[in-house]
Amino acid sequence: MSVWDDFYRLSVLEIKFEKNSAAKNATIYGNGNNQVAVAVRVTVIGKDNKPLNIPYDELEDKTHLINYQTGEKLNWRGTQPSYNPPWIYSAVDKGYSDPVNFGSALNDPQHDIKNNPQPPTKDNSFNVIFYISASKLSSGLDIGVGINIPGVGEFNTTEYGTSTHNSPGGNGGSVFKAPSFVHVRALESIDYSLSKNVRLDNNTTSFQSFHTVVGDMLVIHNNWAGITYNNYEGTSSKATAVISPAQENFKFIKMNVLSPTVGAGFNLAGGGCDTVWGVGGGNYDATFIFVNRKEYGLLGDNSIHTRCGGENYYYTIGKNDSRHYWKEDLPDGVITVRICNHRTPRNDAYQQNWSDSGKDIRVHVTDEYGNSGTVSITVDDSSWPSLHVNA
């Protein structure tokens, strides 16, 4: 026997925002991920004149969201793309179900319907939760709700309702008329692969951008005659740059470095870095870039080999020298770029027995509203030590 066999009349059918029942409108991003949750409230009276106890799954199956103006169904889970595009609804929270804003300042306490599948309200109605999203920019849609009761017919919350009679078998009686809707609009999605959508703070623009860690590093000089000199003239330094959403108060909640870990043969903290970069000129700078790595820097027992004027120079980090690597927590919501630089003060020096690696870093990011993109971090010898983001 079906629960609907005891149907006598539909008493309540309405839609409200689940997290803000006082609001009439909400704004989300049209990226297919950002959602706003709505609560569909239903009360069905049985033949004993008491509310029917309808299982959650059964109620979810029989209710659907509609275009309030036309009564047409919305696209369920993306399976009906011609139904009121770009709007989609489903029963699944994608994890980005906080709207950008509501049209009212009053907030209800949050409640988890799924973990309480039959939550009666004070008037013994029941709620079904749906999640609304949009696949692109939209000025908005008034969204109502419909319910198809087996053996009776279709009811909805449009202004005039439907022609179905609100009685057992739909035979006799009046029609159900209870206008109810919410308005949802969708902003253009944010693509974080575009330079306009990210902000770079504390970019390294010159050697003065770095903080000196050690100013008298050993540089072993082996000249053309095979004579070795120990010169304490190298400089170990570091800096930290930060990449964040350009939109004020937004943050990245997911960050995945797509480019491979590199090392170029050096002994690096955490097992590797993201860029190894050597640049000559008035000095020789060996630069190591670590993206979103808690452990970073050069471990002990490292040698950076360069040549200049046919002679060899070995910038040396001793076996027990622990001054050039760190383990630090990462700040929340941003891409953290830590840059370690090791300078040999020799004009026109060049690499020897090692080479650059990983000079194009890719990081896939997603913000709290489901906007995403791949951020590129590149470097160029002509603009050392600057980082170029989405250039």
Side-chain angles (χ1 to χ4, degrees), residues 23-220:
K24 289 301 292 180
N25 57 78
T27 301
I28 62 175
Y29 278 99
N31 54 30
N33 291 320
N34 195 196
Q35 300 168 304
V36 61
V38 292
V40 173
R41 181 166 163 252
V42 183
T43 302
V44 176
I45 303 300
K47 292 174 181 176
D48 60 358
N49 211 33
K50 295 179 180 179
L52 291 179
N53 188 358
I54 306 170
Y56 186 92
D57 291 346
E58 179 70 16
L59 201 58
E60 180 184 85
D61 182 62
K62 297 302 185 288
T63 52
H64 46 268
L65 301 188
I66 61 171
N67 182 326
Y68 174 79
Q69 302 299 331
T70 66
E72 297 172 339
K73 292 181 179 180
L74 266 60
N75 185 356
W76 170 245
R77 299 189 302 186
T79 60
Q80 301 150 318
S82 63
Y83 288 16
N84 291 285
W87 297 98
I88 300 170
Y89 77 105
S90 79
V92 178
D93 182 352
K94 294 184 177 181
Y96 309 98
S97 59
D98 287 325
V100 180
N101 59 60
F102 284 110
S104 170
L106 296 176
N107 285 297
D108 284 348
Q110 295 188 18
H111 51 281
D112 189 347
I113 300 297
K114 283 294 187 181
N115 290 334
N116 181 17
Q118 295 186 20
T121 62
K122 290 180 180 179
D123 61 354
N124 291 311
S125 60
F126 295 86
N127 287 328
V128 173
I129 303 302
F130 291 122
Y131 298 89
I132 301 169
S133 62
S135 59
K136 63 179 181 180
L137 173 73
S138 173
S139 59
L141 185 70
D142 293 337
I143 298 173
V145 60
I147 185 169
N148 192 304
I149 297 179
V152 181
E154 178 82 14
F155 299 95
N156 68 32
T157 63
T158 57
E159 184 177 0
Y160 300 107
T162 69
S163 59
T164 302
H165 291 280
N166 192 12
S167 61
N171 299 315
S174 62
V175 297
F176 177 85
K177 189 184 295 184
S180 178
F181 69 91
V182 293
H183 183 84
V184 186
R185 72 183 183 107
L187 304 174
E188 185 175 4
S189 64
I190 299 174
D191 182 356
Y192 287 112
S193 65
L194 302 178
S195 59
K196 67 178 182 179
N197 293 328
V198 295
R199 183 175 75 238
L200 172 61
D201 292 316
N202 302 324
N203 194 11
T204 45
T205 57
S206 69
F207 186 68
Q208 284 66 43
S209 300
F210 292 89
H211 164 72
T212 298
V213 177
V214 181
D216 58 352
M217 290 297 297
L218 172 63
V219 178
I220 299 172

Side-chain angles (χ1 to χ4, degrees), residues 316-336:
T316 303
I317 299 176
K319 185 176 183 180
N320 298 316
D321 190 347
S322 60
R323 296 173 294 176
H324 315 279
Y325 67 91
W326 301 265
K327 186 175 183 179
E328 300 172 353
D329 289 335
L330 294 169
D332 182 52
V334 298
I335 299 172
T336 302

Side-chain angles (χ1 to χ4, degrees), residues 300-354:
D301 197 19
N302 265 302
S303 178
I304 302 172
H305 185 186
T306 57
R307 283 180 63 84
C308 177
E311 300 186 340
N312 293 299
Y313 294 85
Y314 301 90
Y315 177 107
T316 303
I317 299 176
K319 185 176 183 180
N320 298 316
D321 190 347
S322 60
R323 296 173 294 176
H324 315 279
Y325 67 91
W326 301 265
K327 186 175 183 179
E328 300 172 353
D329 289 335
L330 294 169
D332 182 52
V334 298
I335 299 172
T336 302
V337 185
R338 286 162 170 159
I339 310 163
C340 299
N341 193 69
H342 297 271
R343 168 168 281 191
T344 299
R346 286 295 179 274
N347 186 44
D348 295 328
Y350 55 91
Q351 296 166 335
Q352 187 69 20
N353 298 322
W354 63 280

Side-chain angles (χ1 to χ4, degrees), residues 233-247:
E233 58 186 3
T235 302
S236 169
S237 57
K238 68 171 186 170
T240 300
V242 173
I243 301 168
S244 59
Q247 188 80 11

